[in-house]
Amino acid sequence: MKKYRVAVDVGGTFTDVFVFDDQTKNMYVTKTSSVPASPEKGILEGLEKAGIRGKDILIFSHGTTVGTNALIERKLPKTALVTTKGFRDVIEIRRGTKLNLWDAYDDVAPPYIRRRDRFELKERVDYSGRIIEKVDEKEARELARKLKRRGVEAVAICFINAYMNNENELTVKKIFEEELEGVYICTSSETLPEIFEHERMSTTVVNAVLGPIVSNYIKKLENEMRSREYEGDILVIHSGGGVMTSETVPKYAARLASSGIAAGAIASRYIANLCGYKNAIGLDMGGTSTDISLMYDGNLRITKDWYIEYGYPIRFPSIEILTIGAGGGSIAWIDKGGSLRNGPRSAGADPGPACYGKGGENCTNTDANLILGRLSENLLNGQMKLDKQKAIQSIQRIASVYNYTIEEAANAILKVANANMCDALRLISVRRGYDPREFALVAFGGAGPLHGAYLAKEMEIPVVIVPPHPGVAAAMGCLLVDVQHDITKTYLADCSNVSVTDLEEEFRKMEQEANQLLEEEGIEPDNRQFIRFIEMRYAGQWRSLAITASRPLQSIEEELEKFHREHEREFAFSNREQKVEIFGLRVSAIGMVPKPSIPVFKSTGQLKDALKETRPVYFEETNGYVETPIYFRPDIPVDSLIEGPAIIEQLDSTVVIPPGFHAKIDQYKNILIYTR
């Protein structure tokens, strides 16, 4: 019988495999090295290392950095852009903004498609969707033959106002499909039928450049899994927090641009809900960066303003994740003004922190934690040896500049790292109108549990939750998602005279389209769910705010009241006398997938059985070293109470409970750390 639910998180350095046995309710984790050139190899090696056969797998779901890495490294197929005459340079003009407003020399990265590969056709549709000039089919066919001679592998078609009427786009697409066999072709009206030509064109271009890459990757993985007797769907997590099957992944390739990052946010939401918290901040701290997400009232924040490289937005709905350059490998350095800094530059996996003994000379957060005794010299249950002497050598320069002891310098480095992360936590909470004191902090990733308690203390967050397998929590998140598609439409109307009947008809059409997608995914009708959103804004504003809408729609007044309340919470302002406009509609189509049933554990044994040793650990609170108990997490019984200071070690992470904190182990084997 098929009994394993397998989730895989394909990272740039490691591929994490999380296995849940449906029969015994046991969970297994394993890690293997990623193979960037052939990501599917890392997955297959991970399955072999875990001893899992394809025919025994019930569900296979994974997150991948294939799309993200391709965009960052610019290893993209030859792609052409075809647009309306006169609009060839929209993708290069962008919005005329830059990431660093005050740096005159800070240039935005060049477009994904060079100017020589951007082409124009005579055609025109006005703002209302009326065709002013039909596309010349002969001209389009000549262009197709030209693209064939050039050897293009993908084509993005983006005509002005095609979101209102896509007849010209579909005409060109049909001609290209006839002339360009085997070439990936996508249109803006099928990819993102929304207003704003730059955002629509940018999303379509990203979809086109990733289309062949993602299609080839999925095809290879599917063939390999079939050869290993796996018969189910290959599920891939996408930016919106759902999964797609291999059937629909090529159509919406751009949604995989933040695939791996989204899994961690989903795991954070699930763990917080399991512990009884509806408000939570997820802190996924790895070796190079920290990803921060926020859940309010059980829902993750969603944004449509995101990108991999600044200037080239991807407008698909995505879980809002704030990423900063703070990780275990982040390098400590001194700037020209003499201030101590931390990150964003990282030592990476090779050579890595100085204590790895691979030639790294810069002091990192990992070195600082090792020097202070918070990390053991034997990681991964003794599989990896750390060199404390090399860590001490790496920090000598920083200590001498400030006339610090080695321990004071290491502590200062970690305080700077924590301050950077607290700034990011404030950005996603306080600056969004949320009070951190009403949230739990879910700390995971290899380094998250080392820093979580200190961040919570600074932010006045009352509790820190550390999941049973923090180092592979993102992989676990891949098992906790449903199939999801988001259908969007630009719909401009004044709320004072909009017809509820017309709105309901628009939603019905969108749900029909969404239903078809779920049908293609093989989702049974009883497992389908539709959530409606209306994007609204005050008249004269540019930015809109999405609010959930009732199904069926009852009255526009009810939706208006929701908008005013949400606007007050988000921006500390609302005006019920101000005219409100509808800007767009969205339907999230969810195909519910069976989830693993996390087991409840009973208390067996005593805490003293988990005590490995004691060792001196430096804490600023105690003005020096204090003999600290070191516990082995798998042996800690449920319901145990642990007083800080204490260190808890496990295969994939280390948990620090500072002085003045206490922790308990809940029935799911989560560690809950509280301030007094």
Side-chain angles (χ1 to χ4, degrees):
M1 289 179 62
K2 294 175 171 53
K3 61 175 184 176
Y4 295 120
R5 296 174 187 268
V6 179
V8 181
D9 179 31
V10 185
T13 306
F14 291 106
T15 294
D16 299 333
V17 179
F18 180 92
V19 181
F20 183 85
D21 189 325
D22 244 17
Q23 295 176 6
T24 65
K25 307 301 180 186
N26 289 329
M27 293 176 279
Y28 310 91
V29 296
T30 188
K31 297 173 84 75
T32 187
S33 296
S34 295
V35 185
S38 301
E40 69 281 355
K41 289 183 180 178
I43 295 174
L44 300 170
E45 287 174 10
L47 293 177
E48 288 175 12
K49 190 174 180 180
I52 304 297
R53 298 180 303 177
K55 64 181 181 181
D56 296 329
I57 299 175
L58 181 66
I59 290 178
F60 176 84
S61 179
H62 78 298
T64 175
T65 55
V66 168
T68 312
N69 292 342
L71 292 174
I72 292 172
E73 296 170 7
R74 295 289 178 124
K75 293 179 179 178
L76 305 171
K78 186 166 186 177
T79 307
L81 170 66
V82 178
T83 187
T84 307
K85 187 171 179 61
F87 291 86
R88 179 185 183 187
D89 295 317
V90 165
I91 195 69
E92 196 144 13
I93 296 169
R94 301 180 302 277
R95 289 286 169 193
T97 60
K98 58 170 67 178
L99 190 58
N100 188 345
L101 182 64
W102 308 109
D103 188 348
Y105 299 98
D106 179 33
D107 292 328
V108 175
Y112 295 120
I113 300 178
R114 300 173 301 178
R115 196 170 194 271
R116 70 183 72 173
D117 296 319
R118 304 197 296 259
F119 302 91
E120 300 175 339
L121 287 175
K122 292 178 183 176
E123 71 83 39
R124 200 56 189 248
V125 174
D126 73 6
Y127 72 95
S128 67
R130 181 173 62 92
I131 295 180
I132 298 174
E133 182 178 5
K134 283 198 171 189
V135 72
D136 185 328
E137 295 189 20
K138 183 180 178 183
E139 184 187 11
R141 202 168 292 278
E142 287 174 356
L143 176 57
R145 290 167 182 163
K146 182 177 182 180
L147 296 178
K148 187 175 183 178
R149 291 193 299 271
R150 286 190 170 215
V152 299
E153 299 168 68
V155 180
I157 303 170
C158 185
F159 291 156
I160 297 306
N161 295 329
Y163 67 93
M164 292 300 293
N165 185 336
N166 65 355
E167 184 180 323
N168 282 347
E169 278 196 350
L170 294 183
T171 298
V172 173
K173 181 184 178 182
K174 184 182 177 185
I175 292 170
F176 281 14
E177 286 175 338
E178 293 170 359
E179 299 286 343
L180 300 170
E181 186 178 351
V183 172
Y184 181 89
I185 301 168
C186 66
T187 66
S188 70
S189 56
E190 293 172 302
T191 304
L192 188 80
E194 292 186 13
I195 198 172
F196 296 133
E197 63 266 29
H198 170 55
E199 286 75 8
R200 180 161 51 91
M201 184 179 289
S202 175
T203 304
T204 308
V205 164
V206 172
N207 206 59
V209 298
L210 291 185
I213 295 170
V214 168
S215 299
N216 292 337
Y217 162 71
I218 286 295
K219 193 178 296 181
K220 283 182 184 177
L221 179 59
E222 196 167 36
N223 289 339
E224 292 286 356
M225 292 295 287
R226 293 285 179 262
S227 71
R228 286 162 173 75
E229 300 181 85
Y230 174 63
E231 299 173 350
D233 288 321
I234 303 290
L235 300 178
V236 190
I237 194 166
H238 62 66
S239 60
V243 288
M244 297 186 287
T245 66
S246 55
E247 296 295 322
T248 53
V249 162
K251 185 176 179 182
Y252 298 109
R255 299 211 73 170
L256 265 61
S258 66
S259 170
I261 300 174
I266 292 158
S268 170
R269 176 180 62 184
Y270 179 81
I271 292 158
N273 282 330
L274 205 62
C275 296
Y277 294 93
K278 292 294 183 185
N279 299 340
I281 298 173
L283 180 90
D284 183 0
M285 185 178 181
T288 303
S289 62
T290 296
D291 300 321
I292 301 172
S293 60
L294 184 141
M295 174 183 77
Y296 179 72
D297 197 23
N299 297 309
L300 290 165
R301 277 185 62 95
I302 301 295
T303 182
K304 293 178 75 176
D305 295 316
W306 64 285
Y307 52 84
I308 298 301
E309 289 186 292
Y310 185 82
Y312 305 104
I314 303 171
R315 289 281 292 178
F316 287 122
S318 172
I319 295 173
E320 184 177 24
I321 296 170
L322 183 61
T323 300
I324 63 169
S330 294
I331 294 171
W333 54 287
I334 299 171
D335 68 15
K336 293 179 180 178
S339 297
L340 179 61
R341 300 298 184 96
N342 192 299
R345 195 161 62 91
S346 172
D350 188 13
C355 61
Y356 280 15
K358 295 181 179 179
E361 297 180 353
N362 295 305
C363 186
T364 67
N365 293 330
T366 298
D367 296 303
N369 276 308
L370 177 63
I371 289 167
L372 298 181
R374 297 175 190 180
L375 274 180
S376 168
E377 292 181 47
N378 298 302
L379 285 187
L380 301 176
N381 291 348
Q383 298 174 39
M384 183 177 183
K385 304 287 185 182
L386 300 184
D387 191 329
K388 188 172 182 178
Q389 195 54 44
K390 280 189 166 54
I392 291 172
Q393 291 171 6
S394 73
I395 206 173
Q396 291 282 5
R397 177 175 171 270
I398 291 174
S400 62
V401 167
Y402 298 108
N403 198 26
Y404 284 165
T405 64
I406 294 298
E407 290 78 13
E408 288 172 338
N411 189 61
I413 287 169
L414 295 182
K415 288 178 74 173
V416 173
N418 290 340
N420 291 341
M421 285 186 278
C422 282
D423 283 344
L425 289 171
R426 291 186 188 95
L427 187 61
I428 205 167
S429 59
V430 178
R431 296 189 190 181
R432 301 282 195 276
Y434 301 104
D435 186 345
R437 293 171 295 185
E438 299 174 359
F439 287 73
L441 180 69
V442 183
F444 57 105
L450 278 165
H451 297 256
Y454 286 104
L455 301 179
K457 182 179 180 180
E458 175 67 23
M459 298 294 296
E460 298 184 55
I461 296 172
V463 60
V464 180
I465 304 170
V466 182
H469 303 285
V472 294
M476 183 185 76
C478 297
L479 275 186
L480 305 171
V481 294
D482 294 308
V483 172
Q484 180 177 327
H485 293 287
D486 295 284
I487 309 300
T488 61
K489 179 182 179 66
T490 294
Y491 187 93
L492 304 174
D494 187 335
C495 285
S496 62
N497 57 24
V498 70
S499 165
V500 173
T501 304
D502 289 347
L503 274 176
E504 181 64 29
E505 178 61 19
E506 290 296 337
F507 273 126
R508 191 191 64 77
K509 290 177 183 176
M510 294 169 73
E511 287 173 357
Q512 220 171 23
E513 182 182 346
N515 211 34
Q516 181 60 38
L517 286 171
L518 293 180
E519 186 77 35
E520 293 172 7
E521 302 276 24
I523 303 296
E524 295 296 324
D526 290 345
N527 293 328
R528 299 174 193 173
Q529 180 184 359
F530 301 97
I531 303 174
R532 296 174 170 184
F533 298 88
I534 302 178
E535 289 196 39
M536 308 172 88
R537 63 187 181 187
Y538 286 117
Q541 286 189 333
W542 177 54
R543 297 192 183 277
S544 58
L545 196 62
I547 54 111
T548 55
S550 57
R551 183 174 183 267
L553 209 59
Q554 300 295 332
S555 72
I556 198 64
E557 287 75 21
E558 183 182 327
E559 312 308 328
L560 270 171
E561 183 56 32
K562 289 182 193 175
F563 169 75
H564 291 305
R565 287 200 307 265
E566 184 62 15
H567 206 280
E568 176 71 33
R569 188 206 56 74
E570 181 86 6
F571 304 110
F573 168 80
S574 65
N575 183 356
R576 285 169 172 76
E577 304 302 316
Q578 176 73 27
K579 184 187 293 185
V580 177
E581 300 172 333
I582 293 176
F583 176 72
L585 310 176
R586 172 160 60 94
V587 169
S588 285
I590 298 170
M592 288 171 281
V593 175
K595 313 290 188 307
S597 176
I598 302 299
V600 174
F601 296 92
K602 294 181 179 179
S603 181
T604 56
Q606 297 180 329
L607 179 61
K608 65 180 182 180
D609 299 332
L611 184 65
K612 290 173 60 179
E613 59 177 338
T614 63
R615 69 168 176 257
V617 180
Y618 182 96
F619 291 103
E620 187 178 30
E621 298 90 333
T622 59
N623 296 313
Y625 285 99
V626 59
E627 200 65 26
T628 303
I630 312 298
Y631 297 100
F632 184 52
R633 185 168 185 180
D635 294 340
I636 301 177
V638 166
D639 295 331
S640 293
L641 296 176
I642 302 173
E643 294 289 333
I647 303 290
I648 300 174
E649 297 180 343
Q650 61 188 104
L651 173 69
D652 54 334
S653 191
T654 298
V655 184
V656 173
I657 304 171
F661 290 73
H662 68 279
K664 76 171 186 178
I665 313 301
D666 74 2
Q667 59 186 339
Y668 302 105
K669 291 194 174 181
N670 295 301
I671 300 174
L672 281 76
I673 306 172
Y674 302 92
T675 56
R676 290 193 186 278

